Each structure stands twice: as C-alpha cells, then as structure tokens.
Amino acid sequence: MPRSAVSPAPRSAASAPAADGARGVWLQTFRRVRAETERRAAHLSAEDQIVQSMADASPTKWHRAHVTWFFEQFLLVPHDPAYKIFDERFPFLFNSYYVGAGPRHARPQRGLITRPNGEDVAGYRAHVDAAVERLITEVPAADAERVFTILEIGLHHEQQHQELLITDILHAFAQNPTDPVYDAQWQPPHAAQGPRGYVAVPAGIHAIGHEGTGFCFDNETPRHDELIPEVGIARHLVSNAEWLEFIAAGGYATASLWLSDGWALAQAEGWQAPGYWRQHDGAWYVMTLAGLKQVDPAEPVLHVSYYEAEAFARFAGKHLPSEAEWEVASRAGLLADAFGIAWQWTRSAYLPYPGYRAAEGALGEYNGKFMVSQMVLRGSSLATPEGHERVSYRNFFYPPARWQFTGLRLAEFV
Ligand SMILES: [Fe+2]
C-alpha cells in the first residue's frame, strides 16, 4: 500500500532545516487537496449544491464550508494570533458534531441554509486558504510540528468529505425523476479478473492496526495482536450477478435469512434490491455518477446495507470476514479489489482497539465517541480520493446505511 498522499513530510518537522524543507511540501499538498474539493464541486450547479436529500447527507455547499471551518477552528484560531474569523456566524452553521467546539446548527436542517450563498462560501474558502498558507510559511520552527500535525488531520478530514460530497449528491440525484448526471464522462472501475474462490488466511496470531510513521486516524491504534482462525476469504467482491441470484431466489422475501432489525427495516422501506436499483421492463437499472445505467452483472454490487450483506452471506451459506481477518488477508496480498471500488462490510462491530484512548479536547471527538452500534467497513471505494486509502483504515456506518459505495466479500470456515 502506498503511504497516504497527504503525508509527505516526516513527523520530525520541528527542527529548523526539516521544517523549512517541509513547508513547501505542505503548501503544495494543502493546495492540491483543497483544489480536489473544488474540482468535485465544479460538476454541480449552485442549486445542486444547496440540496439536502436526507438527514444523513449534507449539501455540497455545507461540505465545502465545513472542511474550511475545521481548519479555522482547529488550526488557525489556536495557532495564529493574528487570524481574524471570517464571519462570526459561520462556526454555528458549519460545526458538525464537535460539542467541545461550541453550539451548532441542526444537521437535518443544513439544506435550509440558502444564505450564506455559494459565493460567500467561496470567499470563506479563499480567506482560510490564504491564512493557512501564511501559517505554513511563517509558523516558527518550534511550533511547526504541532501545526503540521493538525494541518495533516485537516487534510485527511477534507478528503473524507470529498467522498461524502459525491455520495451525498448521488443520493440527492437518485430522488430526482429526471435522473441527473453528475459527470457524463464518469466510468465505473472494473472488477479484477482471474479465478474466483477463497484464499486461506494464515491462521495464528497476527498484529493488526497502523504501523510505521505515516498518517493514520486514532481509531487505527494501538496496533495489537489478534487470533485468526482457519478461515478462507473470497478473493473477489460479491458481484451484481450473484446479487441478482439472491433477488431471484427470494432473498428479500425470506425472513429466515435476515437479522430481525434488518427484516423490519427491509419491510418498512420495501427493499427489493440494493439502493438506487430500479426495474424497467424486466431489466434492472442503477443510479450512478453518470446517470441511470443498466446493472452490469460483472461488476461488484454497491449500495447494500450491513443487513443486506449479512442476509446475502447467510443465503450463500457463508459469513462476512472480521476486520482482523480482512486486514491480515489484505496485508498478505490475497484480496482482489481490496481498494477503489466498494467499502466492504465486516462482521466486526466498531469498537476501540485494546488500550485505545481518544485525544484530549474537541478533536478527540473525531472518532472515539462513535464507537457503539456501528459496523466496520474495510478497503476504500470508487469515491475515495486517490491516496487516502490504507490497509489499517477503519470506516464505520450504521447497519441500515446504503447510500455509500458499500459492498462485501464473503468468508468461509472450513
Ligand atoms: Fe467533518
């Protein structure tokens, strides 16, 4: 795995020569990540950027402003005495869930905010960009390591929102009867070819979690030992063809395949197929970034919830891998399409690793306070920014979620 694309500098950036060397790299990296957000938003009109199609999804304009607030709140205000807040009303509007950073606007109502408008948000971004670039250039060497550490978190945070920007607008477009196109040139990544089947994960005690000096989120630590049983993991992701078999066999109508909560939700929501799938004249179509397309049987299934993934595994007489099994297999190079197509549900609850401690202060709210009632997904998706993926990366969502690019691979115990 490549090291993160936003980890260009060694952590020991505090000494003057290293700091001076790192400044130029951080400047370039900051500009590149900020530009990627704007590149993704540029496919969207001002109207597109306001809409919020459900409480879990945020408007594009909000994403652009929130990642900017993150730098203002956690980098500029504490570390730049000369920094002037762009607009005193913005922290309330663009704080997401950081209770320690002050009160905030209700998440389900983000789509009601037509003002500040897109131009105001562009001005906010430019104001913060200039201040961050000044700080990178001028921060005293003695403070550089702390500043660059927070800058790095902010950049990875912005990359996470780059993915959410895409998944959230796709959800909005999927509610639109005209099937809007995000990017007519967009092509789905193709699944790896080669023999399917299961690969044996080396049984025994294996270390999992982040290692090395590159960036990671705190939830990937501490690195620790896990006992891996005799288990095989599917080399490939579950395909649409396999999912069509599940549908044809009555998978969505067979209660015995489902967890109780999943069955209740599937009934209440009328689930008959993965998210964004629609049937016309006997053929299945799916809403994609390039608009409505016929489902390609050869491609991996996307937009399935944990409940559906678990039901499919039971239907297939298999299981979902644990996150430790997934990581050991991935580190051993055993998995095709581990990254870049679909986040893969695991059977692991999102819990702290042994000895995990969240950081002090509001930034400690980033991951730790969500470690209940969610499931871990591994890998990365087609919407994950280049270089953001890691073998130890722990994504997490609630079991009903299916607006992300979520799929699965199976495991079997022999
Ligand atoms: Fe955020």
Side-chain angles (χ1 to χ4, degrees), residues 79-96:
H79 295 284
D80 181 356
Y83 179 72
K84 297 274 189 295
I85 294 270
F86 179 75
D87 187 316
E88 296 290 346
R89 302 167 301 175
F90 281 18
F92 181 83
L93 289 176
F94 300 126
N95 178 357
S96 52

mmCIF file of all heavy atoms in Angstrom, residues 79-96:
data_model
loop_
_atom_site.group_PDB
_atom_site.id
_atom_site.type_symbol
_atom_site.label_atom_id
_atom_site.label_comp_id
_atom_site.label_asym_id
_atom_site.label_seq_id
_atom_site.Cartn_x
_atom_site.Cartn_y
_atom_site.Cartn_z
ATOM 1 N N HIS A 79 -3.574 28.652 16.676
ATOM 2 C CA HIS A 79 -2.149 28.720 16.341
ATOM 3 C C HIS A 79 -1.733 29.972 15.578
ATOM 4 O O HIS A 79 -0.550 30.127 15.258
ATOM 5 C CB HIS A 79 -1.737 27.470 15.549
ATOM 6 C CG HIS A 79 -1.856 26.213 16.352
ATOM 7 N ND1 HIS A 79 -0.930 25.869 17.317
ATOM 8 C CD2 HIS A 79 -2.809 25.250 16.368
ATOM 9 C CE1 HIS A 79 -1.301 24.727 17.883
ATOM 10 N NE2 HIS A 79 -2.432 24.338 17.342
ATOM 11 N N ASP A 80 -2.684 30.830 15.256
ATOM 12 C CA ASP A 80 -2.328 32.049 14.541
ATOM 13 C C ASP A 80 -2.954 33.235 15.277
ATOM 14 O O ASP A 80 -4.132 33.562 15.073
ATOM 15 C CB ASP A 80 -2.841 31.990 13.095
ATOM 16 C CG ASP A 80 -2.455 33.244 12.312
ATOM 17 O OD1 ASP A 80 -1.858 34.171 12.912
ATOM 18 O OD2 ASP A 80 -2.760 33.290 11.105
ATOM 19 N N PRO A 81 -2.188 33.896 16.147
ATOM 20 C CA PRO A 81 -2.740 35.000 16.958
ATOM 21 C C PRO A 81 -3.300 36.130 16.104
ATOM 22 O O PRO A 81 -4.174 36.878 16.556
ATOM 23 C CB PRO A 81 -1.526 35.483 17.758
ATOM 24 C CG PRO A 81 -0.523 34.379 17.679
ATOM 25 C CD PRO A 81 -0.775 33.642 16.414
ATOM 26 N N ALA A 82 -2.837 36.253 14.884
ATOM 27 C CA ALA A 82 -3.295 37.354 14.034
ATOM 28 C C ALA A 82 -4.536 36.991 13.217
ATOM 29 O O ALA A 82 -5.103 37.844 12.534
ATOM 30 C CB ALA A 82 -2.163 37.757 13.065
ATOM 31 N N TYR A 83 -4.975 35.753 13.319
ATOM 32 C CA TYR A 83 -6.085 35.320 12.457
ATOM 33 C C TYR A 83 -7.391 35.994 12.846
ATOM 34 O O TYR A 83 -7.744 36.088 14.023
ATOM 35 C CB TYR A 83 -6.271 33.797 12.509
ATOM 36 C CG TYR A 83 -7.431 33.351 11.640
ATOM 37 C CD1 TYR A 83 -7.319 33.373 10.245
ATOM 38 C CD2 TYR A 83 -8.656 32.973 12.200
ATOM 39 C CE1 TYR A 83 -8.390 33.012 9.440
ATOM 40 C CE2 TYR A 83 -9.730 32.607 11.398
ATOM 41 C CZ TYR A 83 -9.594 32.637 10.013
ATOM 42 O OH TYR A 83 -10.655 32.296 9.214
ATOM 43 N N LYS A 84 -8.131 36.444 11.861
ATOM 44 C CA LYS A 84 -9.453 37.049 12.064
ATOM 45 C C LYS A 84 -10.517 36.084 11.529
ATOM 46 O O LYS A 84 -10.474 35.708 10.365
ATOM 47 C CB LYS A 84 -9.558 38.378 11.302
ATOM 48 C CG LYS A 84 -8.566 39.440 11.780
ATOM 49 C CD LYS A 84 -9.143 40.218 12.952
ATOM 50 C CE LYS A 84 -8.279 41.420 13.316
ATOM 51 N NZ LYS A 84 -6.935 41.054 13.806
ATOM 52 N N ILE A 85 -11.467 35.718 12.403
ATOM 53 C CA ILE A 85 -12.592 34.872 11.983
ATOM 54 C C ILE A 85 -13.276 35.527 10.787
ATOM 55 O O ILE A 85 -13.544 36.732 10.798
ATOM 56 C CB ILE A 85 -13.606 34.734 13.141
ATOM 57 C CG1 ILE A 85 -12.969 33.967 14.301
ATOM 58 C CG2 ILE A 85 -14.904 34.098 12.675
ATOM 59 C CD1 ILE A 85 -13.141 32.492 14.284
ATOM 60 N N PHE A 86 -13.577 34.732 9.755
ATOM 61 C CA PHE A 86 -14.155 35.280 8.529
ATOM 62 C C PHE A 86 -15.544 35.843 8.769
ATOM 63 O O PHE A 86 -15.887 36.935 8.317
ATOM 64 C CB PHE A 86 -14.206 34.175 7.460
ATOM 65 C CG PHE A 86 -14.814 34.615 6.156
ATOM 66 C CD1 PHE A 86 -14.101 35.427 5.283
ATOM 67 C CD2 PHE A 86 -16.103 34.210 5.802
ATOM 68 C CE1 PHE A 86 -14.658 35.834 4.078
ATOM 69 C CE2 PHE A 86 -16.662 34.617 4.597
ATOM 70 C CZ PHE A 86 -15.934 35.422 3.731
ATOM 71 N N ASP A 87 -16.362 35.095 9.494
ATOM 72 C CA ASP A 87 -17.732 35.529 9.775
ATOM 73 C C ASP A 87 -18.147 34.856 11.080
ATOM 74 O O ASP A 87 -18.153 33.624 11.156
ATOM 75 C CB ASP A 87 -18.667 35.112 8.627
ATOM 76 C CG ASP A 87 -20.070 35.693 8.790
ATOM 77 O OD1 ASP A 87 -20.620 35.661 9.916
ATOM 78 O OD2 ASP A 87 -20.633 36.185 7.786
ATOM 79 N N GLU A 88 -18.502 35.619 12.068
ATOM 80 C CA GLU A 88 -18.791 35.089 13.404
ATOM 81 C C GLU A 88 -19.982 34.140 13.413
ATOM 82 O O GLU A 88 -20.174 33.382 14.365
ATOM 83 C CB GLU A 88 -19.039 36.246 14.393
ATOM 84 C CG GLU A 88 -17.828 37.144 14.625
ATOM 85 C CD GLU A 88 -16.717 36.451 15.419
ATOM 86 O OE1 GLU A 88 -16.981 35.391 16.012
ATOM 87 O OE2 GLU A 88 -15.584 36.990 15.414
ATOM 88 N N ARG A 89 -20.821 34.189 12.360
ATOM 89 C CA ARG A 89 -21.985 33.296 12.315
ATOM 90 C C ARG A 89 -21.639 31.921 11.775
ATOM 91 O O ARG A 89 -22.408 30.971 11.926
ATOM 92 C CB ARG A 89 -23.082 33.916 11.415
ATOM 93 C CG ARG A 89 -23.538 35.294 11.854
ATOM 94 C CD ARG A 89 -24.364 35.965 10.780
ATOM 95 N NE ARG A 89 -23.594 36.106 9.528
ATOM 96 C CZ ARG A 89 -24.108 36.568 8.382
ATOM 97 N NH1 ARG A 89 -25.380 36.908 8.330
ATOM 98 N NH2 ARG A 89 -23.347 36.679 7.313
ATOM 99 N N PHE A 90 -20.501 31.817 11.104
ATOM 100 C CA PHE A 90 -20.190 30.574 10.387
ATOM 101 C C PHE A 90 -19.878 29.389 11.305
ATOM 102 O O PHE A 90 -20.269 28.260 10.982
ATOM 103 C CB PHE A 90 -19.043 30.800 9.401
ATOM 104 C CG PHE A 90 -19.463 31.466 8.114
ATOM 105 C CD1 PHE A 90 -20.665 32.161 8.021
ATOM 106 C CD2 PHE A 90 -18.653 31.399 6.981
ATOM 107 C CE1 PHE A 90 -21.058 32.783 6.837
ATOM 108 C CE2 PHE A 90 -19.036 32.004 5.790
ATOM 109 C CZ PHE A 90 -20.236 32.708 5.713
ATOM 110 N N PRO A 91 -19.164 29.581 12.426
ATOM 111 C CA PRO A 91 -18.897 28.405 13.270
ATOM 112 C C PRO A 91 -20.177 27.683 13.697
ATOM 113 O O PRO A 91 -20.211 26.456 13.739
ATOM 114 C CB PRO A 91 -18.148 29.004 14.467
ATOM 115 C CG PRO A 91 -17.444 30.191 13.880
ATOM 116 C CD PRO A 91 -18.420 30.754 12.886
ATOM 117 N N PHE A 92 -21.258 28.422 13.988
ATOM 118 C CA PHE A 92 -22.522 27.779 14.357
ATOM 119 C C PHE A 92 -23.084 26.979 13.182
ATOM 120 O O PHE A 92 -23.593 25.865 13.344
ATOM 121 C CB PHE A 92 -23.537 28.838 14.800
ATOM 122 C CG PHE A 92 -24.858 28.260 15.219
ATOM 123 C CD1 PHE A 92 -25.030 27.759 16.496
ATOM 124 C CD2 PHE A 92 -25.917 28.192 14.318
ATOM 125 C CE1 PHE A 92 -26.253 27.195 16.877
ATOM 126 C CE2 PHE A 92 -27.140 27.637 14.691
ATOM 127 C CZ PHE A 92 -27.307 27.143 15.977
ATOM 128 N N LEU A 93 -22.974 27.533 11.988
ATOM 129 C CA LEU A 93 -23.537 26.867 10.802
ATOM 130 C C LEU A 93 -22.726 25.656 10.358
ATOM 131 O O LEU A 93 -23.283 24.695 9.826
ATOM 132 C CB LEU A 93 -23.616 27.848 9.627
ATOM 133 C CG LEU A 93 -24.655 28.949 9.701
ATOM 134 C CD1 LEU A 93 -24.514 29.875 8.492
ATOM 135 C CD2 LEU A 93 -26.063 28.348 9.748
ATOM 136 N N PHE A 94 -21.407 25.719 10.555
ATOM 137 C CA PHE A 94 -20.555 24.727 9.871
ATOM 138 C C PHE A 94 -19.785 23.812 10.811
ATOM 139 O O PHE A 94 -18.996 22.987 10.354
ATOM 140 C CB PHE A 94 -19.628 25.446 8.891
ATOM 141 C CG PHE A 94 -20.385 26.215 7.837
ATOM 142 C CD1 PHE A 94 -20.149 27.565 7.616
ATOM 143 C CD2 PHE A 94 -21.368 25.588 7.086
ATOM 144 C CE1 PHE A 94 -20.870 28.277 6.660
ATOM 145 C CE2 PHE A 94 -22.096 26.287 6.123
ATOM 146 C CZ PHE A 94 -21.849 27.632 5.916
ATOM 147 N N ASN A 95 -20.014 23.930 12.123
ATOM 148 C CA ASN A 95 -19.562 22.899 13.052
ATOM 149 C C ASN A 95 -20.461 21.688 12.817
ATOM 150 O O ASN A 95 -21.677 21.816 12.693
ATOM 151 C CB ASN A 95 -19.702 23.416 14.486
ATOM 152 C CG ASN A 95 -19.295 22.385 15.546
ATOM 153 O OD1 ASN A 95 -18.957 21.250 15.227
ATOM 154 N ND2 ASN A 95 -19.334 22.797 16.797
ATOM 155 N N SER A 96 -19.893 20.499 12.758
ATOM 156 C CA SER A 96 -20.707 19.307 12.509
ATOM 157 C C SER A 96 -21.179 18.694 13.818
ATOM 158 O O SER A 96 -22.340 18.844 14.198
ATOM 159 C CB SER A 96 -19.914 18.289 11.699
ATOM 160 O OG SER A 96 -18.654 18.030 12.320
#
